[in-house]
Amino acid sequence: MKKEVNQEREFLFGKRNYIIMLVGIVFITVGFIFMSGGGSEDPNVFNEEIYNWQRIRLAPTLVIIGLAIEIYAILADPKK
């Protein structure tokens, strides 16, 4: 006797969880974009642009917020 196999499987998370995860990924991506660039091609020339507020404060803050959103999306109840 063969057992009937249920073809419809439920997703691990709800649609809301996936949307929240996508928002977290966007925050992290924007944070890493703000961190990139700003270096000098000549190693003997100091470029002050590397110490601007976007790289020192904004970018790490966006990445941390994105990680917190990702953790919330994983732990949030999918039934809501």
Side-chain angles (χ1 to χ4, degrees):
M1 292 182 110
K2 285 188 174 181
K3 290 185 179 180
E4 290 185 30
V5 177
N6 187 2
Q7 294 296 331
E8 290 189 31
R9 299 174 111 188
E10 291 186 28
F11 287 110
L12 182 60
F13 299 115
K15 184 177 180 181
R16 178 177 165 265
N17 295 79
Y18 288 115
I19 292 171
I20 295 171
M21 283 182 187
L22 183 62
V23 170
I25 290 171
V26 169
F27 268 83
I28 293 170
T29 304
V30 170
F32 277 110
I33 288 171
F34 280 146
M35 280 185 211
S36 65
S40 176
E41 305 244 345
D42 185 6
N44 297 323
V45 175
F46 178 73
N47 188 354
E48 291 181 14
E49 192 177 308
I50 199 163
Y51 294 112
N52 67 4
W53 69 275
Q54 288 179 341
R55 287 190 180 85
I56 300 298
R57 293 207 171 101
L58 181 62
T61 303
L62 288 174
V63 172
I64 290 170
I65 290 171
L67 289 172
I69 291 172
E70 292 294 324
I71 291 170
Y72 173 76
I74 292 169
L75 297 177
D77 187 17
K79 307 258 188 222
K80 288 184 180 179

